[in-house]
């Protein structure tokens, strides 16, 4: 359902109106809620009904303001492409453990994480969704795309849960690599990475509450988390349509294709 322009305008003017009553009547989503306690520095909103306050700069950004593009930060490399050896060398791959269940799961998690990471670096989000080019905004976009993948992984039972854990480890490892390249001292890396992971949990919970309900709730979550309560209704509306489209496509995707990472997110412009 498309978000009515009048409603979107009200959301912006009112800084994302409260939905606390709905939050009290809905059951709390499963695994993403575990471990979430309080909002750390940089968090933009934890529950759907949380008030919108002045955004505090993330302590992991150099001088808290330096603009960073996709190529300005060192990223961790992941290797997940399927071997083309096959045939008569299949026995060797089996002996080396390449085709074990655990190895396939590791490759799946790496492929899914790289999909989310690469999509979040697309220039279209800066040019057509009203976002500034910064480490912080790209981080929040990455959180959003990882959440979309996690929604689908919940359908895959034990395999999905194990892949989810591996994906989180990739996320943590990549965050650590990025922050180290930004000049964060080694002794502070673990604490800063945990801070950003808690920000992710808070954003994911707010997105969870938008599943299966009106677009206004998703718009409120995106307005707080992606735009920091400082965005135009037109851009929020476009991002709502993009998220709904991608969640639907991923949800309908064949399981093997999804887990292998043999797909890509759609073009952000075609919404």
């Amino acid at each position: 359902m498309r978000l009515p322009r009048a409603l979107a305008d009200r959301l912006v003017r009112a800084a994302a109106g409260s939905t606390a009553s709905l939050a009290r009547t809905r059951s709390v989503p499963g695994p993403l809620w575990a471990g979430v306690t309080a909002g750390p520095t940089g968090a933009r909103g934890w529950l759907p009904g949380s008030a919108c306050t002045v955004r505090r700069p993330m302590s992991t950004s150099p001088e808290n303001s330096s603009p960073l593009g996709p190529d300005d930060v060192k990223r961790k490399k992941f290797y997940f492409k399927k071997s083309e050896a096959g045939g008569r060398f299949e026995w060797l791959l089996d002996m080396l453990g390449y085709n074990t269940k655990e190895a396939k799961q590791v490759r799946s998690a790496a492929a899914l994480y790289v999909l989310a990471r690469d999509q979040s670096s697309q220039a279209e989000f800066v040019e057509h969704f009203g976002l500034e080019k910064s480490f912080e905004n790209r981080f929040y976009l990455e959180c959003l795309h990882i959440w979309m993948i996690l929604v689908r992984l919940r359908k895959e039972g034990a395999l999905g849960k194990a892949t989810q854990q591996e994906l989180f480890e990739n996320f943590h490892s990549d965050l650590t690599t990025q922050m180290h390249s930004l000049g964060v001292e080694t002794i502070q890396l673990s604490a800063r990475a945990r801070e950003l992971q808690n920000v992710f949990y808070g954003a994911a919970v707010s997105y969870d509450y938008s599943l299966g309900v009106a677009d206004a709730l998703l718009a409120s979550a995106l307005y707080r988390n992606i735009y920091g309560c400082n965005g135009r209704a037109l851009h929020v509306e476009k991002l709502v349509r993009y998220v709904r489209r991608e969640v639907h496509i991923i949800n309908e995707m064949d399981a093997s294709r999804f887990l292998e990472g043999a797909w890509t997110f759609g073009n952000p412009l075609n919404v």
Side-chain angles (χ1 to χ4, degrees), residues 17-42:
S18 175
T19 53
S21 60
L22 177 60
R24 288 193 296 269
T25 59
R26 287 174 57 88
S27 59
V28 175
L32 291 178
W33 182 261
V36 176
T37 53
T41 300

Side-chain angles (χ1 to χ4, degrees), residues 105 109 153 157-167:
Q105 176 188 302
L153 281 174
L159 177 60
K161 186 175 182 179
T163 304
Q164 173 181 299
Q165 181 60 43
E166 188 71 30
L167 191 154

Side-chain angles (χ1 to χ4, degrees), residues 71-113:
D71 300 322
D72 296 315
V73 182
K74 184 178 180 181
R75 308 301 297 262
K76 183 178 177 63
K77 293 184 178 180
F78 294 93
Y79 301 94
F80 53 85
K81 290 187 177 180
K82 188 176 181 180
S83 173
E84 297 179 358
R88 59 179 180 172
F89 296 106
E90 194 69 30
W91 64 272
L92 181 59
L93 295 175
D94 291 339
M95 186 177 68
L96 294 174
Y98 182 84
N99 291 325
T100 63
K101 180 179 178 181
E102 292 76 13
K104 291 180 178 178
Q105 176 188 302
V106 168
R107 292 198 299 274
S108 174
L112 293 173
Y113 174 67

Side-chain angles (χ1 to χ4, degrees), residues 189-231:
L189 284 176
S190 294
R192 297 288 76 79
R194 284 196 300 271
E195 175 186 329
L196 293 184
Q197 283 183 318
N198 284 336
V199 172
F200 166 77
Y201 288 131
V205 167
S206 66
Y207 297 146
D208 269 346
Y209 276 100
S210 71
L211 291 173
V213 296
D215 285 348
L217 200 54
L218 176 58
S220 176
L222 293 173
Y223 184 61
R224 290 194 313 276
N225 290 287
I226 302 297
Y227 292 95
C229 295
N230 185 26

Side-chain angles (χ1 to χ4, degrees), residues 75-76 78 80 107-122 125 138 141-150 153 167 170 174 242 246 250 253 256-266 268:
R75 308 301 297 262
K76 183 178 177 63
F78 294 93
F80 53 85
R107 292 198 299 274
S108 174
L112 293 173
Y113 174 67
V114 170
L115 279 171
R117 185 178 76 178
D118 290 350
Q119 183 72 0
S120 304
S121 299
Q122 296 294 321
F125 288 107
R138 187 175 61 181
L141 284 172
E142 196 167 311
C143 290
L144 176 63
H145 287 89
I146 290 175
W147 169 77
M148 294 186 211
I149 291 174
L150 294 180
L153 281 174
L167 191 154
N170 292 338
D174 195 26
Y242 168 78
E246 295 305 307
I250 296 173
M253 196 177 297
S256 60
R257 181 188 173 203
F258 168 73
L259 291 172
E260 289 178 4
W263 55 278
T264 59
F265 285 95

